[in-house]
Amino acid sequence: MRKYIVGNWKMNGTSADLHEIAAIATMAAAYPSVDSAICIPATLIERAAAALPEFSIGGQDCHATASGAHTGCVAAAMLVDAGARVTIIGHSERRAAQHETDADIRGKAEAARIEGLNVIVCVGETLQERDAGRALEIVLGQLQHSLPANSSADWLSIAYEPVWAIGTGRIPEEKDVREMHAAIREQLVGRFGETGKKFRLLYGGSMNGENATMLLAIPDVDGGLIGGASLSAAKFEPILAAAANSGE
Ligand code: PGA
């Protein structure tokens, strides 16, 4: 399976940073064996996509409905119109701060698919849940209820992001990532049959140039969703290099 490395800029970036997005796109082109994308603030998508037609620019959310009285929200068709090819849905920061439920996330993923976007649905447990021995139960429950019934690897990837690993510099032990990704795969195969083997499962949470080789070597880790280390081409490059080398 081709590795998929996706940057998540979160609420960072103005027009002054368009040059860094261009630097990332140029750098990524040097790793043709790896699929990559950068999910940036909605305000930058149109300019970045127009300047970088070869590169996959993405959004970080979309609304579950096509249009209407939803002040401040962005519809999937608007992301596509701006030039996005992919969007993150259900990031834990949105699950927590915007109170997004699994049902909300399922609706958003479906709305994005209808508009032809690729989608990355995020799942992950809190530290409290892991310490209580409930990580598998929580993540598998989110997975079960966040994915649309007609999910297909053609348009959907899944990111496992332990909430306590995001932005903290802490990562789970190798065996815990291995266990979680195997369990996610098992549920996908149980639910979708053979096609369940084809979904790309990304790991996210403090992935960087130092730990990417280890993380990307774990079975069923088919890529990464990267926050802090995607903000510059210099920090992002070693992760793409690790992904390019991981198949060898
Ligand atoms: P991080 O963020 O790499 O900064 O931990 C990952 C994410 O939230 O997607």
Side-chain angles (χ1 to χ4, degrees):
M1 210 181 298
R2 284 170 66 86
K3 290 280 197 281
Y4 190 24
I5 304 293
V6 181
N8 173 13
W9 271 33
K10 309 191 180 185
M11 199 174 74
N12 297 291
T14 62
S15 49
D17 302 294
L18 285 166
H19 72 97
E20 198 59 45
I21 300 169
I24 287 170
T26 303
M27 178 278 289
Y31 299 93
S33 64
V34 179
D35 292 332
S36 56
I38 294 279
C39 297
I40 57 177
T43 49
L44 292 180
I45 291 172
E46 183 157 14
R47 278 171 290 168
L52 307 165
E54 309 292 320
F55 189 60
S56 183
I57 296 291
Q60 302 172 6
D61 176 46
C62 73
H63 200 271
T65 61
S67 65
H70 304 291
T71 303
C73 298
V74 175
M78 297 171 184
L79 294 179
V80 173
D81 183 50
R85 299 189 206 170
V86 55
T87 189
I88 297 168
I89 298 286
H91 190 282
S92 64
E93 287 154 12
R94 296 195 60 85
R95 286 180 184 261
Q98 271 73 38
H99 311 294
E100 290 187 7
T101 65
D102 292 334
D104 294 333
I105 290 158
R106 196 168 67 238
K108 288 171 178 229
E110 181 64 13
R113 180 198 65 82
I114 288 167
E115 296 302 331
L117 284 167
N118 290 312
V119 174
I120 300 159
V121 166
C122 303
V123 294
E125 83 284 359
T126 63
L127 190 55
Q128 213 179 13
E129 289 161 346
R130 175 156 289 273
D131 287 346
R134 299 182 58 215
L136 279 169
E137 168 203 335
I138 295 292
V139 169
L140 294 178
Q142 290 174 346
L143 188 69
Q144 177 70 34
H145 299 292
S146 302
L147 299 195
N150 59 353
S151 290
S152 147
D154 292 343
W155 60 274
L156 186 97
S157 304
I158 292 127
Y160 166 57
E161 300 201 298
V163 174
W164 50 274
I166 294 175
T168 59
R170 290 182 61 194
I171 58 167
E173 287 182 40
E174 198 262 5
K175 69 170 176 45
D176 292 333
V177 177
R178 181 187 290 255
E179 178 186 45
M180 188 62 79
H181 279 240
I184 291 172
R185 180 69 72 201
E186 192 184 344
Q187 184 184 108
L188 293 172
V189 172
R191 183 169 172 191
F192 300 107
E194 274 303 294
T195 177
K197 294 184 183 160
K198 297 194 188 133
F199 290 89
R200 285 193 286 200
L201 310 186
L202 318 186
Y203 167 81
S206 295
M207 190 186 272
N208 58 37
E210 258 124 64
N211 58 32
T213 298
M214 182 280 283
L215 288 164
L216 292 169
I218 298 172
D220 282 314
V221 175
D222 308 309
L225 183 56
I226 293 108
S230 74
L231 290 170
S232 77
K235 285 191 190 152
F236 202 39
E237 173 152 30
I239 303 174
L240 273 110
N245 290 330
S246 68
E248 292 163 14

